[in-house]
Amino acid sequence: MGPVTLIIGIFMLTTILCYFTISNVMKKKRHHQRVERFLSPSSRMEDELGERKKDPGKPFITTLASVLTGIQFSNKTKRLLVQAGSSMSPAEFLAVRLISAGAAGTLFLVLQFPWILAAMTMPLGYLIPKVYMIKKRRTRLQLLPSQLIDTLGMMANSMRAGFSFMQVMQLVGKEMPAPIGPEFEKAVRESGLGVPLETIFEGMVERLPSKELEVVLDAIIAQRKSGGNLTVLMETMEDTIRGRLSIMGELNTLTSQGKMSSLIITFLPIGLGIYLFVVDPDYFSPLVSEPLGIFMLVTAGICIIIGWFSIQKILRIEV
């Protein structure tokens, strides 16, 4: 009975140690999840982004993302998803990109295009989700300056009415839409947990990279350190940002013709090539069957990409 009793004792001791270890780990995990849920954007922002649970393709994406969880993703990808306001994780985003690449190649094969075109479309399909996310981030950040003007006006009027600075931030978080409203609401929650205001504003600028927002937050921090009339400061910044937006609107009007020309010049040869392939495949086949034709297609694609980026760089004017 001695060895049996020893084995039973060791088994019970190991079981108790494993129980307390797992219990401690799960307790810390639940605490971390509660803090993340407390600091997460409001349900109003989640409604605007759309609920992932209603997506019919979510189970497949989640399954593929679980396989890719061990991959180390760059901070650039994580920052892109955060700044775009996406609720996807980096692993899910990579899964979507892989699915898009496979779907693009399969579609061209089903339509009986040459395999070389199907192979060329797979990298394009892989880039489409990233281009969409970049466009989503740009659209989200373009809303920020006009929202910031309304926010500064609301804050100035509220402080004239006797509200404190934290009450004004809480009011902005409740009244303003995304992206600026949920960010101020998150800032109030972080401040309630004792996070310094400088750290809160640094995180806000990282999630919403905007020169206007950075200037406003830096001015607020400087005013709280050195003193002064914050209401007058906000009104002055409101007028400055409104004038800057007016100048940017005029620039967009002047460069709209160049942007349209870049789209036509870029997509016209692609559309013409697809049209020739559909209408007269025999006439187009040397470009995809002969080495010289493939070389010409690759060269033309490189020239189109270089031309696109060159035009975009010319039309990008910093204000």
Side-chain angles (χ1 to χ4, degrees), residues 118-164:
M120 291 174 62
T121 55
M122 291 185 67
L124 294 178
Y126 183 77
L127 289 175
I128 286 175
K130 185 175 182 179
V131 173
Y132 168 76
M133 201 62 65
I134 292 175
K135 186 176 184 298
K136 186 177 180 181
R137 177 182 64 180
R138 186 184 300 113
T139 303
R140 187 168 182 258
L141 295 180
Q142 285 175 350
L143 298 174
L144 191 59
S146 58
Q147 289 185 354
L148 193 57
I149 293 175
D150 298 335
T151 299
L152 290 172
M154 180 187 300
M155 294 176 73
N157 294 332
S158 300
M159 295 189 73
R160 286 187 184 277
F163 282 59
S164 65

Side-chain angles (χ1 to χ4, degrees), residues 278-291:
V278 173
V279 174
D280 194 352
D282 295 333
Y283 179 78
F284 189 80
S285 60
L287 285 175
V288 294
S289 59
E290 299 293 335

Side-chain angles (χ1 to χ4, degrees), residues 12-13 27 66 117 150-151 163 200 211 218 229 240 297:
M12 293 181 62
L13 181 61
K27 183 178 180 180
S66 62
L117 289 180
D150 298 335
T151 299
F163 282 59
I200 295 173
K211 293 182 179 179
D218 289 343
N229 195 333
T240 304
L297 280 180

Side-chain angles (χ1 to χ4, degrees), residues 17-313:
L17 290 176
C18 291
Y19 170 77
F20 282 110
T21 302
I22 296 175
S23 177
N24 189 28
V25 171
M26 293 302 296
K27 183 178 180 180
K28 292 181 179 179
K29 184 176 180 180
R30 285 194 298 268
H31 178 266
H32 179 72
Q33 289 176 349
R34 289 181 62 189
V35 173
E36 288 294 330
R37 189 162 51 247
F38 180 75
L39 295 177
S40 64
S42 62
S43 59
R44 176 184 52 188
M45 184 177 180
E46 293 177 356
D47 293 338
E48 295 179 3
L49 296 176
E51 297 182 1
R52 290 188 294 166
K53 295 182 179 180
K54 296 181 180 180
D55 187 1
K58 182 190 172 185
F60 180 69
I61 295 175
T62 305
T63 303
L64 182 58
S66 62
V67 179
L68 305 173
T69 304
I71 299 177
Q72 295 293 331
F73 296 95
S74 62
N75 293 328
K76 187 177 180 181
T77 302
K78 299 177 182 178
R79 194 180 304 114
L80 174 63
L81 295 174
V82 171
Q83 293 174 359
S86 175
S87 55
M88 288 192 299
S89 64
E92 291 175 341
F93 183 56
L94 179 59
V96 171
R97 298 184 70 181
L98 293 176
I99 293 172
S100 177
T106 304
L107 178 62
F108 270 64
L109 290 177
V110 170
L111 296 177
Q112 298 182 352
F113 281 89
W115 66 268
I116 185 66
L117 289 180
M120 291 174 62
T121 55
M122 291 185 67
L124 294 178
Y126 183 77
L127 289 175
I128 286 175
K130 185 175 182 179
V131 173
Y132 168 76
M133 201 62 65
I134 292 175
K135 186 176 184 298
K136 186 177 180 181
R137 177 182 64 180
R138 186 184 300 113
T139 303
R140 187 168 182 258
L141 295 180
Q142 285 175 350
L143 298 174
L144 191 59
S146 58
Q147 289 185 354
L148 193 57
I149 293 175
D150 298 335
T151 299
L152 290 172
M154 180 187 300
M155 294 176 73
N157 294 332
S158 300
M159 295 189 73
R160 286 187 184 277
F163 282 59
S164 65
F165 179 72
M166 296 308 301
Q167 288 176 334
V168 168
M169 290 186 61
Q170 189 175 7
L171 179 64
V172 171
K174 290 181 179 179
E175 298 296 332
M176 293 299 297
I180 198 169
E183 288 295 335
F184 270 82
E185 188 175 357
K186 182 176 182 179
V188 173
R189 293 177 179 179
E190 290 179 344
S191 178
L193 294 176
V195 181
L197 195 62
E198 292 82 357
T199 306
I200 295 173
F201 286 168
E202 288 177 2
M204 187 183 298
V205 173
E206 184 177 357
R207 292 187 297 270
L208 295 177
S210 172
K211 293 182 179 179
E212 294 86 356
L213 180 62
E214 185 177 358
V215 170
V216 169
L217 297 181
D218 289 343
I220 291 175
I221 293 176
Q223 187 276 336
R224 291 177 66 86
K225 289 182 178 180
S226 61
N229 195 333
L230 185 57
T231 303
V232 176
L233 178 63
M234 290 182 177
E235 291 177 346
T236 304
M237 290 188 294
E238 178 186 358
D239 295 336
T240 304
I241 296 174
R242 183 177 285 107
R244 187 172 186 272
L245 283 183
S246 177
I247 296 175
M248 292 179 62
E250 294 179 1
L251 285 177
N252 290 332
T253 303
L254 295 175
T255 58
S256 59
Q257 182 179 358
K259 294 178 181 179
M260 182 59 65
S261 300
S262 67
L263 292 175
I264 295 175
I265 293 173
T266 301
F267 292 104
L268 182 60
I270 299 175
L272 182 60
I274 296 176
Y275 173 77
L276 291 176
F277 178 80
V278 173
V279 174
D280 194 352
D282 295 333
Y283 179 78
F284 189 80
S285 60
L287 285 175
V288 294
S289 59
E290 299 293 335
L292 180 60
I294 296 175
F295 173 76
M296 293 174 63
L297 280 180
V298 174
T299 305
I302 295 174
C303 291
I304 289 174
I305 294 174
I306 293 175
W308 165 267
F309 282 105
S310 299
I311 296 174
Q312 295 300 317
K313 188 173 182 61

